[in-house]
Amino acid sequence: MYANGDIFVGEVIGTAILILLGAGVCAAVTLSHSKAKASGWVVIAFGWGFGVLAGAYTAGPLSGGHLNPAVTLGIAIDTGKWDKVWVYVLGQLVGAMLGAVLAYLVYLAQFNANVTRSAKDAVTGGHEPTPTLGIFSTIPEIRNPVANLVTEVIATVALVLPILAFGLTKGLGESGTQTLIVAFLVVGIGLSLGGPTGYAINPARDLGPRVVHTFLPIPNKGTSDWSYAWVPVAGPLIGGALAGLIYNAAF
């Protein structure tokens, strides 16, 4: 249905917008000199939801607006059409890296002033750096690879299976309402299932920005935590595959 060139461009642009707004809201809440500092998890969940909304609507006419290898995988397993999967995934990875760089540029001054002032600092005059990986990629609240993987698998099934099922609801696709509902679904997943791991539910969303974080010249940025990076890639891919299998078998 979509040409390879359109797919690539659409997924690059759409995923870049997704990550720009998603990493942007994380930066807004995390960095010390942001006006939105410490505004909380609900703000983050809605920021990512609006990122999905803007990115998917923008990419939709060119590629269908997958923006997520787990979604692409689930659709391929359901339909049996694999020839364009690599184009989607490549576009998503490139777009995720581009979006991370753009978010960094928006908050460049805040990243360069990467310090947080604590009560102890107020007495001593010292400063502690703010870890920055959580702005770009996910970090588990409790590091337990098996539990973290299970969380990502379940959360991704909760994303991809409804996305596939929405296609059966007459009129949603034509009206554009489907994309709006998916955006609210992402908000709901963040609020309900995001606590343990930060809800990657998208390999490109985590991997692309983690690569960018590794190379960005952020003062005191901390680790990029590559020992954990396999979880937010493998978990969503497993979840996307399971969602495709469940949908194919049940609907």
Coordinates of all heavy atoms in Angstrom, one line a residue, residues 56-113:
A56 N 2.0 10.0 15.2 CA 1.2 9.1 14.4 C 0.3 9.8 13.3 O 0.2 9.4 12.2 CB 0.4 8.2 15.3
Y57 N -0.3 11.0 13.7 CA -1.1 11.7 12.8 C -0.2 12.3 11.7 O -0.6 12.3 10.5 CB -1.8 12.9 13.5 CG -3.1 12.5 14.0 CD1 -3.5 12.8 15.3 CD2 -4.1 12.0 13.2 CE1 -4.7 12.5 15.8 CE2 -5.4 11.6 13.7 CZ -5.7 11.9 15.0 OH -6.9 11.6 15.5
T58 N 1.0 12.7 12.0 CA 1.9 13.2 11.0 C 2.4 12.2 10.0 O 2.4 12.4 8.8 CB 3.2 13.9 11.6 OG1 2.7 14.9 12.5 CG2 4.1 14.5 10.6
A59 N 2.8 11.0 10.5 CA 3.3 9.9 9.7 C 2.2 9.2 9.0 O 2.5 8.5 7.9 CB 4.1 9.0 10.5
G60 N 1.0 9.2 9.5 CA -0.1 8.4 8.9 C -0.3 8.4 7.4 O -0.3 7.3 6.8
P61 N -0.3 9.6 6.8 CA -0.5 9.6 5.3 C 0.6 8.9 4.5 O 0.4 8.4 3.4 CB -0.6 11.1 5.0 CG -1.0 11.7 6.3 CD -0.4 10.9 7.3
L62 N 1.8 8.9 5.1 CA 3.0 8.3 4.4 C 3.2 6.9 4.7 O 3.6 6.1 3.8 CB 4.2 9.1 4.8 CG 4.3 10.6 4.3 CD1 5.5 11.3 4.8 CD2 4.3 10.6 2.7
S63 N 3.0 6.5 5.9 CA 3.4 5.1 6.3 C 2.4 4.4 7.2 O 2.6 3.2 7.5 CB 4.7 5.2 7.2 OG 4.5 5.9 8.4
G64 N 1.3 5.0 7.5 CA 0.4 4.4 8.5 C 0.7 4.7 9.9 O -0.1 4.4 10.8
G65 N 1.9 5.3 10.2 CA 2.2 5.7 11.5 C 2.4 4.6 12.5 O 1.9 4.7 13.6
H66 N 3.3 3.7 12.2 CA 3.6 2.6 13.2 C 4.4 3.2 14.4 O 4.0 3.0 15.6 CB 4.3 1.5 12.6 CG 3.6 0.7 11.6 ND1 4.1 -0.5 11.0 CD2 2.4 0.9 11.0 CE1 3.2 -1.0 10.2 NE2 2.2 -0.1 10.1
L67 N 5.5 3.8 14.1 CA 6.4 4.5 15.0 C 7.0 3.5 16.1 O 7.6 4.0 17.0 CB 5.7 5.6 15.8 CG 4.8 6.6 15.0 CD1 4.3 7.7 15.9 CD2 5.6 7.1 13.8
N68 N 6.9 2.2 15.9 CA 7.2 1.2 16.9 C 7.5 -0.1 16.3 O 6.5 -0.7 15.7 CB 6.1 1.2 17.9 CG 6.4 0.3 19.1 OD1 7.2 -0.6 19.1 ND2 5.6 0.4 20.2
P69 N 8.7 -0.7 16.4 CA 8.9 -2.0 15.8 C 8.0 -3.1 16.4 O 7.7 -4.0 15.6 CB 10.4 -2.3 16.2 CG 11.0 -0.9 16.3 CD 9.9 -0.1 16.9
A70 N 7.6 -3.0 17.6 CA 6.7 -4.0 18.2 C 5.3 -3.9 17.5 O 4.7 -5.0 17.2 CB 6.5 -3.7 19.7
V71 N 4.8 -2.7 17.1 CA 3.6 -2.6 16.3 C 3.8 -3.2 14.9 O 3.0 -4.0 14.4 CB 3.1 -1.2 16.2 CG1 2.0 -1.0 15.3 CG2 2.8 -0.6 17.6
T72 N 4.9 -2.8 14.3 CA 5.2 -3.4 13.0 C 5.3 -4.9 13.0 O 4.8 -5.6 12.1 CB 6.5 -2.8 12.5 OG1 6.4 -1.3 12.4 CG2 6.9 -3.3 11.1
L73 N 5.9 -5.4 14.0 CA 6.0 -6.9 14.1 C 4.7 -7.6 14.3 O 4.4 -8.6 13.7 CB 7.0 -7.2 15.3 CG 7.2 -8.7 15.6 CD1 7.8 -9.4 14.4 CD2 8.1 -8.9 16.8
G74 N 3.9 -7.0 15.2 CA 2.5 -7.6 15.4 C 1.7 -7.6 14.2 O 1.0 -8.5 13.9
I75 N 1.8 -6.5 13.4 CA 1.0 -6.4 12.2 C 1.5 -7.4 11.2 O 0.7 -8.1 10.5 CB 1.1 -5.0 11.6 CG1 0.3 -4.0 12.5 CG2 0.5 -4.9 10.2 CD1 0.5 -2.5 12.1
A76 N 2.8 -7.6 11.1 CA 3.4 -8.5 10.1 C 3.0 -10.0 10.5 O 2.7 -10.8 9.6 CB 4.9 -8.4 10.1
I77 N 3.0 -10.3 11.8 CA 2.6 -11.6 12.2 C 1.2 -11.9 11.9 O 0.8 -13.0 11.4 CB 2.9 -11.8 13.7 CG1 4.5 -12.0 13.9 CG2 2.2 -13.1 14.2 CD1 4.9 -12.0 15.3
D78 N 0.3 -10.9 12.1 CA -1.1 -11.1 11.8 C -1.3 -11.2 10.3 O -2.1 -12.0 9.8 CB -1.9 -9.9 12.4 CG -3.3 -9.9 12.0 OD1 -4.0 -11.0 12.2 OD2 -3.8 -8.9 11.4
T79 N -0.7 -10.3 9.5 CA -1.0 -10.3 8.0 C -0.2 -11.2 7.2 O -0.5 -11.5 6.1 CB -0.8 -8.9 7.5 OG1 0.6 -8.5 7.7 CG2 -1.7 -7.9 8.3
G80 N 1.0 -11.6 7.7 CA 2.0 -12.4 7.0 C 2.8 -11.6 6.0 O 3.5 -12.2 5.1
K81 N 2.7 -10.3 6.0 CA 3.4 -9.4 5.1 C 4.7 -8.9 5.7 O 4.6 -8.1 6.6 CB 2.5 -8.3 4.6 CG 1.3 -8.8 3.8 CD 0.4 -7.6 3.4 CE -0.8 -8.1 2.7 NZ -1.7 -7.0 2.3
W82 N 5.8 -9.4 5.3 CA 7.1 -9.1 5.9 C 8.0 -8.2 5.1 O 9.1 -7.8 5.6 CB 7.8 -10.4 6.3 CG 7.1 -11.2 7.3 CD1 6.1 -12.1 7.1 CD2 7.4 -11.1 8.7 NE1 5.7 -12.6 8.3 CE2 6.5 -12.1 9.3 CE3 8.2 -10.4 9.5 CZ2 6.4 -12.3 10.7 CZ3 8.2 -10.6 10.9 CH2 7.3 -11.5 11.5
D83 N 7.7 -8.0 3.8 CA 8.7 -7.4 2.9 C 9.0 -5.9 3.3 O 10.1 -5.5 2.9 CB 8.1 -7.5 1.5 CG 6.8 -6.8 1.3 OD1 5.9 -7.0 2.1 OD2 6.6 -6.0 0.4
K84 N 8.2 -5.2 4.0 CA 8.4 -3.8 4.3 C 8.8 -3.6 5.8 O 9.0 -2.5 6.2 CB 7.2 -3.0 3.9 CG 6.9 -3.0 2.4 CD 5.8 -2.0 2.1 CE 5.4 -2.1 0.6 NZ 6.5 -1.6 -0.3
V85 N 8.9 -4.7 6.5 CA 9.2 -4.6 8.0 C 10.6 -3.8 8.2 O 10.7 -3.0 9.0 CB 9.2 -6.0 8.6 CG1 9.8 -5.9 10.0 CG2 7.8 -6.5 8.7
W86 N 11.6 -4.2 7.4 CA 12.9 -3.6 7.6 C 12.9 -2.1 7.3 O 13.6 -1.3 8.0 CB 13.9 -4.3 6.7 CG 13.8 -4.0 5.2 CD1 13.0 -4.6 4.3 CD2 14.4 -2.9 4.5 NE1 13.1 -4.1 3.1 CE2 14.0 -3.1 3.1 CE3 15.3 -1.9 4.8 CZ2 14.4 -2.2 2.1 CZ3 15.7 -1.1 3.8 CH2 15.3 -1.2 2.5
V87 N 12.0 -1.7 6.4 CA 11.9 -0.2 6.1 C 11.3 0.5 7.3 O 11.8 1.6 7.7 CB 11.1 0.0 4.8 CG1 11.1 1.5 4.5 CG2 11.6 -0.8 3.6
Y88 N 10.3 0.0 7.8 CA 9.6 0.6 9.0 C 10.6 0.7 10.1 O 10.8 1.7 10.8 CB 8.4 -0.3 9.4 CG 7.1 0.0 8.7 CD1 6.7 -0.7 7.6 CD2 6.3 1.1 9.1 CE1 5.6 -0.5 6.9 CE2 5.2 1.4 8.4 CZ 4.8 0.6 7.3 OH 3.6 0.9 6.6
V89 N 11.3 -0.4 10.4 CA 12.2 -0.5 11.6 C 13.4 0.5 11.4 O 13.7 1.2 12.4 CB 12.7 -1.9 11.9 CG1 13.7 -1.9 13.0 CG2 11.5 -2.8 12.3
L90 N 13.9 0.5 10.2 CA 15.0 1.4 10.0 C 14.6 2.9 10.2 O 15.3 3.7 10.8 CB 15.6 1.2 8.6 CG 16.8 2.1 8.1 CD1 18.0 1.9 9.1 CD2 17.1 1.9 6.7
G91 N 13.4 3.2 9.6 CA 12.9 4.6 9.8 C 12.7 4.9 11.2 O 12.9 6.1 11.7
Q92 N 12.1 4.0 12.0 CA 11.8 4.2 13.4 C 13.1 4.4 14.2 O 13.2 5.3 15.0 CB 11.1 3.0 13.9 CG 9.7 2.9 13.4 CD 9.1 1.5 13.4 OE1 9.7 0.6 13.9 NE2 7.9 1.3 12.8
L93 N 14.2 3.7 13.9 CA 15.4 3.9 14.6 C 16.1 5.2 14.3 O 16.5 5.9 15.2 CB 16.4 2.7 14.3 CG 16.0 1.4 15.0 CD1 16.9 0.3 14.4 CD2 16.2 1.4 16.5
V94 N 16.1 5.5 13.0 CA 16.7 6.8 12.6 C 15.9 8.0 13.2 O 16.4 8.9 13.8 CB 16.7 6.9 11.1 CG1 17.1 8.4 10.7 CG2 17.7 5.9 10.5
G95 N 14.5 7.9 13.2 CA 13.7 8.9 13.7 C 13.9 9.1 15.2 O 13.9 10.2 15.8
A96 N 14.0 7.9 15.9 CA 14.2 8.0 17.4 C 15.5 8.7 17.8 O 15.5 9.5 18.7 CB 14.2 6.6 18.0
M97 N 16.6 8.4 17.0 CA 17.8 9.1 17.3 C 17.7 10.6 17.0 O 18.2 11.5 17.7 CB 18.9 8.5 16.5 CG 19.3 7.1 17.0 SD 20.8 6.4 16.2 CE 20.1 5.9 14.7
L98 N 17.1 10.9 15.9 CA 16.9 12.3 15.5 C 16.1 13.1 16.5 O 16.4 14.2 17.0 CB 16.2 12.4 14.1 CG 15.8 13.8 13.6 CD1 17.0 14.7 13.5 CD2 15.1 13.7 12.3
G99 N 15.0 12.5 17.0 CA 14.2 13.1 18.0 C 14.9 13.3 19.3 O 14.7 14.4 20.0
A100 N 15.8 12.4 19.7 CA 16.6 12.5 20.9 C 17.5 13.7 20.8 O 17.7 14.5 21.7 CB 17.3 11.2 21.2
V101 N 18.2 13.8 19.6 CA 19.1 15.0 19.4 C 18.3 16.3 19.5 O 18.8 17.3 20.1 CB 19.8 14.8 18.0 CG1 20.6 16.1 17.7 CG2 20.7 13.6 18.1
L102 N 17.1 16.3 18.9 CA 16.3 17.6 18.9 C 15.9 17.9 20.3 O 15.9 19.1 20.7 CB 15.1 17.4 18.0 CG 15.3 17.3 16.5 CD1 14.0 17.0 15.8 CD2 16.0 18.5 16.0
A103 N 15.5 16.9 21.1 CA 15.2 17.2 22.5 C 16.4 17.8 23.3 O 16.2 18.7 24.1 CB 14.6 16.0 23.2
Y104 N 17.5 17.2 23.0 CA 18.8 17.7 23.6 C 19.0 19.2 23.3 O 19.3 20.0 24.1 CB 19.9 16.8 23.2 CG 21.3 17.4 23.4 CD1 21.8 17.5 24.7 CD2 22.1 17.9 22.4 CE1 23.1 18.1 24.9 CE2 23.3 18.4 22.6 CZ 23.8 18.5 23.9 OH 25.0 19.1 24.1
L105 N 18.8 19.5 22.0 CA 19.0 20.9 21.6 C 18.0 21.9 22.2 O 18.4 23.0 22.5 CB 19.0 21.0 20.0 CG 20.1 20.2 19.3 CD1 19.8 20.3 17.8 CD2 21.4 20.9 19.6
V106 N 16.8 21.4 22.4 CA 15.8 22.3 23.0 C 16.2 22.6 24.4 O 16.1 23.8 24.9 CB 14.4 21.6 23.0 CG1 13.4 22.4 23.9 CG2 13.9 21.5 21.6
Y107 N 16.8 21.6 25.1 CA 17.2 21.8 26.5 C 18.7 22.0 26.7 O 19.2 21.6 27.8 CB 16.6 20.7 27.4 CG 15.2 20.8 27.7 CD1 14.2 20.2 26.8 CD2 14.7 21.4 28.8 CE1 12.9 20.3 27.0 CE2 13.3 21.5 29.0 CZ 12.4 21.0 28.1 OH 11.1 21.1 28.4
L108 N 19.3 22.5 25.7 CA 20.8 22.5 25.7 C 21.3 23.3 26.9 O 22.3 22.8 27.6 CB 21.3 23.2 24.4 CG 22.8 23.3 24.2 CD1 23.5 22.0 24.2 CD2 23.1 24.1 22.9
A109 N 20.8 24.5 27.2 CA 21.2 25.2 28.3 C 21.0 24.5 29.6 O 21.9 24.6 30.5 CB 20.5 26.6 28.4
Q110 N 19.9 23.8 29.7 CA 19.7 23.0 31.0 C 20.6 21.9 31.1 O 21.1 21.5 32.2 CB 18.2 22.6 31.0 CG 17.2 23.7 31.3 CD 17.0 24.7 30.2 OE1 17.2 24.4 29.0 NE2 16.7 25.9 30.6
F111 N 20.9 21.2 30.0 CA 21.8 20.1 30.0 C 23.2 20.6 30.4 O 24.0 19.9 31.2 CB 21.9 19.3 28.7 CG 20.8 18.3 28.5 CD1 19.8 18.5 27.5 CD2 20.7 17.2 29.3 CE1 18.8 17.6 27.3 CE2 19.7 16.3 29.1 CZ 18.7 16.5 28.2
N112 N 23.6 21.7 29.9 CA 24.9 22.3 30.2 C 25.0 22.7 31.6 O 26.1 22.8 32.1 CB 25.2 23.4 29.2 CG 25.6 23.0 27.8 OD1 25.9 21.8 27.6 ND2 25.4 23.9 26.8
A113 N 23.9 23.0 32.2 CA 23.9 23.4 33.6 C 23.4 22.2 34.4 O 22.5 22.3 35.3 CB 23.0 24.6 33.9

